[in-house]
Amino acid sequence: MNLMWSAIMMMLGFFFSSGGGQAAEVIKLPPPAHKSAVSLEDALLRRRTVRHFASRGLDLNQVSQLLWGTDGVSDPRGLRTAPSAGATYPVDLYLVVGERGVATVPAGVYHYLPKENSLKLITPGELRPAVARASLSQSWMAEAPIMVVITGEYRRCMARYGERGIRYTIMEVGHTAENLFLQAEALGLGAGIVGAFEDRTITQVLKTPAAHEPLLIMPVGYKH
Ligand SMILES: Cc1cc2nc3c(=O)[nH]c(=O)nc-3n(C[C@H](O)[C@H](O)[C@H](O)COP(=O)(O)O)c2cc1C
């Protein structure tokens, strides 16, 4: 990578880190706010599954707030906004960013790193249409500027709870999904929720680890 390209990427908010011997692209997210003008009751009242989105993109502050509210770190001990059986944290969030979906963020799939409050690039490119196709062709999904794919890695929870860890992981995904719905409403956005998709195809399209089972996909954007 030449110096000029590095400088351009730095201006875009990227920095480069080495993990496991491989260069990785990481985007540091702005700190989330802990106050809002929208009451919890308003967010609950307005929450609906949204299936029509405006073409308007989001900014990095909105993305940071959305991911933090969904399953970010809310306590110095590393505890999160969603509860977790035995604090085993089997849930991961992957952000699918469309072309011009988020200002300064190229299209691609990013892994949310809660402790670092960062996004790590997993797969570059426009993948929303492929995700919608793998979701029984629910084409409305691809209208949203972003999608959050919520995955569960059962073995993290099963290491402590055995078979019951599967049930606990799926419950935890439900908690994060409702958090996302409410945080989206508090941001003046709307979210959809999709459980109907071909699991293996989603994993192949996103290039996420095979052990991270996709359990829900939530398109997010301005309501149309
Ligand atoms: C686990 C789960 C899976 C769902 N999957 C889909 C889906 O694949 N496609 C869709 O359009 N809506 C899906 N929904 C949304 C429901 O249809 C919706 O929640 C229901 O109609 C009630 O509407 P509301 O969310 O606006 O209150 C899903 C909801 C849940 C909880």
Side-chain angles (χ1 to χ4, degrees):
M1 182 172 306
N2 67 36
L3 277 175
M4 187 179 289
W5 183 238
S6 300
I8 291 168
M9 296 301 262
M10 290 289 283
M11 282 164 63
L12 289 173
F14 275 73
F15 65 87
F16 292 87
S17 66
S18 287
Q22 279 195 321
E25 290 163 15
V26 176
I27 300 173
K28 185 74 187 156
L29 292 167
H34 299 153
K35 293 218 179 332
S36 155
V38 178
S39 72
L40 174 62
E41 291 76 8
D42 270 343
L44 285 165
L45 193 63
R46 293 208 303 252
R47 186 214 64 80
R48 287 272 77 85
T49 296
V50 174
R51 299 185 184 87
H52 295 284
F53 296 94
S55 55
R56 187 173 165 191
L58 307 180
D59 64 33
L60 210 51
N61 286 310
Q62 291 169 309
V63 166
S64 174
Q65 191 68 42
L66 186 79
L67 294 170
W68 177 81
T70 303
D71 203 20
V73 173
S74 54
D75 183 286
R77 291 168 293 174
L79 303 173
R80 311 247 194 112
T81 52
S84 176
T88 51
Y89 299 112
V91 169
D92 282 87
L93 305 180
Y94 290 94
L95 183 72
V96 179
V97 177
E99 293 289 355
R100 292 175 295 284
V102 182
T104 74
V105 180
V109 180
Y110 296 83
H111 188 195
Y112 176 53
L113 308 176
K115 284 192 201 114
E116 295 84 352
N117 194 34
S118 297
L119 292 174
K120 182 180 176 194
L121 179 66
I122 302 292
T123 310
E126 170 63 274
L127 292 167
R128 290 174 303 170
V131 171
R133 272 196 303 279
S135 305
L136 313 190
S137 293
Q138 298 189 67
S139 53
W140 60 270
M141 295 170 68
E143 282 178 22
I146 61 166
M147 301 173 187
V148 178
V149 180
I150 310 177
T151 69
E153 186 174 22
Y154 299 122
R155 64 189 174 200
R156 285 185 221 160
C157 200
M158 291 175 79
R160 181 172 308 189
Y161 297 108
E163 283 296 305
R164 210 166 178 81
I166 296 174
R167 160 196 306 225
Y168 290 165
T169 300
I170 294 168
M171 288 174 176
E172 187 172 325
V173 167
H175 293 301
T176 62
E178 183 68 0
N179 278 357
L180 186 152
F181 265 127
L182 297 177
Q183 181 65 84
E185 288 295 338
L187 285 164
L189 305 172
I193 181 167
V194 170
F197 48 79
E198 297 157 23
D199 303 349
R200 293 283 73 82
T201 312
I202 292 293
T203 302
Q204 283 160 13
V205 165
L206 304 181
K207 298 193 173 67
T208 44
H212 292 204
E213 186 82 36
L215 291 167
L216 280 174
I217 304 176
M218 300 189 68
V220 184
Y222 283 95
K223 298 174 196 177
H224 188 56

